[in-house]
Short mmCIF file of all heavy atoms in Angstrom, two decimals:
data_model
loop_
_atom_site.label_atom_id
_atom_site.label_comp_id
_atom_site.label_asym_id
_atom_site.label_seq_id
_atom_site.Cartn_x
_atom_site.Cartn_y
_atom_site.Cartn_z
N ASP A 1483 8.39 13.54 -36.95
CA ASP A 1483 8.55 12.62 -38.07
C ASP A 1483 9.39 11.47 -37.53
O ASP A 1483 10.57 11.65 -37.22
CB ASP A 1483 9.26 13.32 -39.23
CG ASP A 1483 9.41 12.43 -40.46
OD1 ASP A 1483 9.60 11.21 -40.28
OD2 ASP A 1483 9.36 12.95 -41.59
N LEU A 1484 8.77 10.31 -37.39
CA LEU A 1484 9.45 9.20 -36.72
C LEU A 1484 10.71 8.75 -37.46
O LEU A 1484 11.67 8.29 -36.84
CB LEU A 1484 8.49 8.01 -36.56
CG LEU A 1484 7.40 8.19 -35.49
CD1 LEU A 1484 6.58 6.90 -35.36
CD2 LEU A 1484 7.99 8.55 -34.13
N ASN A 1485 10.73 8.88 -38.77
CA ASN A 1485 11.93 8.49 -39.51
C ASN A 1485 13.10 9.41 -39.17
O ASN A 1485 14.23 8.96 -38.99
CB ASN A 1485 11.65 8.52 -41.02
CG ASN A 1485 10.68 7.45 -41.46
OD1 ASN A 1485 10.69 6.34 -40.92
ND2 ASN A 1485 9.83 7.77 -42.42
N VAL A 1486 12.81 10.71 -39.08
CA VAL A 1486 13.85 11.68 -38.71
C VAL A 1486 14.29 11.44 -37.27
O VAL A 1486 15.49 11.45 -36.95
CB VAL A 1486 13.33 13.12 -38.88
CG1 VAL A 1486 14.35 14.13 -38.33
CG2 VAL A 1486 13.03 13.40 -40.34
N LEU A 1487 13.31 11.21 -36.39
CA LEU A 1487 13.63 10.95 -34.98
C LEU A 1487 14.50 9.71 -34.82
O LEU A 1487 15.48 9.71 -34.07
CB LEU A 1487 12.33 10.78 -34.18
CG LEU A 1487 12.48 10.34 -32.72
CD1 LEU A 1487 13.37 11.30 -31.95
CD2 LEU A 1487 11.11 10.22 -32.06
N GLU A 1488 14.17 8.65 -35.55
CA GLU A 1488 14.96 7.42 -35.47
C GLU A 1488 16.40 7.67 -35.90
O GLU A 1488 17.35 7.20 -35.25
CB GLU A 1488 14.33 6.34 -36.35
CG GLU A 1488 15.09 5.02 -36.31
CD GLU A 1488 14.44 3.95 -37.14
OE1 GLU A 1488 13.67 4.29 -38.06
OE2 GLU A 1488 14.69 2.76 -36.88
N GLN A 1489 16.57 8.41 -36.95
CA GLN A 1489 17.92 8.70 -37.43
C GLN A 1489 18.69 9.55 -36.42
O GLN A 1489 19.85 9.25 -36.10
CB GLN A 1489 17.84 9.44 -38.77
CG GLN A 1489 19.19 9.74 -39.40
CD GLN A 1489 19.05 10.45 -40.73
OE1 GLN A 1489 17.96 10.85 -41.13
NE2 GLN A 1489 20.16 10.64 -41.44
N GLN A 1490 18.04 10.58 -35.90
CA GLN A 1490 18.71 11.45 -34.91
C GLN A 1490 19.09 10.68 -33.65
O GLN A 1490 20.21 10.82 -33.14
CB GLN A 1490 17.79 12.61 -34.54
CG GLN A 1490 17.54 13.60 -35.65
CD GLN A 1490 16.50 14.64 -35.26
OE1 GLN A 1490 15.64 14.39 -34.41
NE2 GLN A 1490 16.56 15.82 -35.88
N PHE A 1491 18.15 9.87 -33.17
CA PHE A 1491 18.39 9.15 -31.91
C PHE A 1491 19.45 8.07 -32.08
O PHE A 1491 20.29 7.86 -31.20
CB PHE A 1491 17.08 8.55 -31.41
CG PHE A 1491 17.11 8.11 -29.98
CD1 PHE A 1491 17.54 8.97 -28.98
CD2 PHE A 1491 16.70 6.84 -29.60
CE1 PHE A 1491 17.57 8.59 -27.65
CE2 PHE A 1491 16.72 6.43 -28.28
CZ PHE A 1491 17.16 7.32 -27.30
N SER A 1492 19.44 7.38 -33.21
CA SER A 1492 20.45 6.34 -33.47
C SER A 1492 21.84 6.96 -33.56
O SER A 1492 22.81 6.41 -33.01
CB SER A 1492 20.11 5.60 -34.77
OG SER A 1492 18.89 4.92 -34.66
N GLN A 1493 21.95 8.10 -34.23
CA GLN A 1493 23.24 8.78 -34.32
C GLN A 1493 23.72 9.23 -32.95
O GLN A 1493 24.92 9.13 -32.63
CB GLN A 1493 23.13 9.97 -35.27
CG GLN A 1493 22.95 9.60 -36.73
CD GLN A 1493 22.70 10.80 -37.62
OE1 GLN A 1493 22.47 11.92 -37.13
NE2 GLN A 1493 22.71 10.59 -38.93
N TYR A 1494 22.79 9.69 -32.14
CA TYR A 1494 23.13 10.12 -30.77
C TYR A 1494 23.67 8.95 -29.96
O TYR A 1494 24.72 9.06 -29.31
CB TYR A 1494 21.91 10.72 -30.10
CG TYR A 1494 22.01 10.82 -28.60
CD1 TYR A 1494 22.80 11.80 -27.99
CD2 TYR A 1494 21.33 9.92 -27.77
CE1 TYR A 1494 22.90 11.88 -26.61
CE2 TYR A 1494 21.43 10.00 -26.39
CZ TYR A 1494 22.22 10.98 -25.82
OH TYR A 1494 22.32 11.05 -24.45
N LEU A 1495 22.99 7.81 -29.99
CA LEU A 1495 23.42 6.65 -29.22
C LEU A 1495 24.77 6.13 -29.70
O LEU A 1495 25.62 5.74 -28.89
CB LEU A 1495 22.37 5.53 -29.31
CG LEU A 1495 21.04 5.78 -28.59
CD1 LEU A 1495 20.08 4.63 -28.84
CD2 LEU A 1495 21.26 5.97 -27.09
N GLN A 1496 24.99 6.14 -31.02
CA GLN A 1496 26.27 5.69 -31.56
C GLN A 1496 27.40 6.59 -31.07
O GLN A 1496 28.47 6.13 -30.69
CB GLN A 1496 26.22 5.69 -33.09
CG GLN A 1496 25.35 4.58 -33.68
CD GLN A 1496 25.21 4.69 -35.17
OE1 GLN A 1496 25.82 5.57 -35.81
NE2 GLN A 1496 24.41 3.82 -35.76
N ARG A 1497 27.15 7.90 -31.08
CA ARG A 1497 28.16 8.85 -30.65
C ARG A 1497 28.48 8.68 -29.16
O ARG A 1497 29.64 8.66 -28.75
CB ARG A 1497 27.68 10.27 -30.93
CG ARG A 1497 28.75 11.33 -30.65
CD ARG A 1497 28.28 12.72 -31.00
NE ARG A 1497 27.37 13.23 -29.99
CZ ARG A 1497 26.08 13.45 -30.21
NH1 ARG A 1497 25.53 13.17 -31.37
NH2 ARG A 1497 25.33 13.95 -29.25
N VAL A 1498 27.43 8.53 -28.34
CA VAL A 1498 27.63 8.37 -26.90
C VAL A 1498 28.36 7.07 -26.59
O VAL A 1498 29.29 7.04 -25.77
CB VAL A 1498 26.26 8.40 -26.17
CG1 VAL A 1498 26.43 7.99 -24.72
CG2 VAL A 1498 25.66 9.80 -26.24
N ASN A 1499 27.97 5.99 -27.25
CA ASN A 1499 28.63 4.69 -27.03
C ASN A 1499 30.09 4.74 -27.45
O ASN A 1499 30.96 4.14 -26.80
CB ASN A 1499 27.90 3.58 -27.79
CG ASN A 1499 26.55 3.26 -27.18
OD1 ASN A 1499 26.34 3.46 -25.99
ND2 ASN A 1499 25.62 2.78 -28.01
N GLN A 1500 30.38 5.44 -28.53
CA GLN A 1500 31.76 5.57 -28.99
C GLN A 1500 32.61 6.32 -27.97
O GLN A 1500 33.74 5.93 -27.67
CB GLN A 1500 31.80 6.29 -30.34
CG GLN A 1500 33.20 6.40 -30.94
CD GLN A 1500 33.18 7.08 -32.30
OE1 GLN A 1500 32.12 7.45 -32.80
NE2 GLN A 1500 34.35 7.25 -32.89
#
Side-chain angles (χ1 to χ4, degrees):
D1483 182 326
L1484 287 184
N1485 292 324
V1486 173
L1487 173 56
E1488 181 178 22
Q1489 183 179 8
Q1490 292 174 334
F1491 195 51
S1492 297
Q1493 290 174 350
Y1494 163 75
L1495 290 177
Q1496 289 174 3
R1497 187 177 76 248
V1498 170
N1499 289 333
Q1500 183 178 359

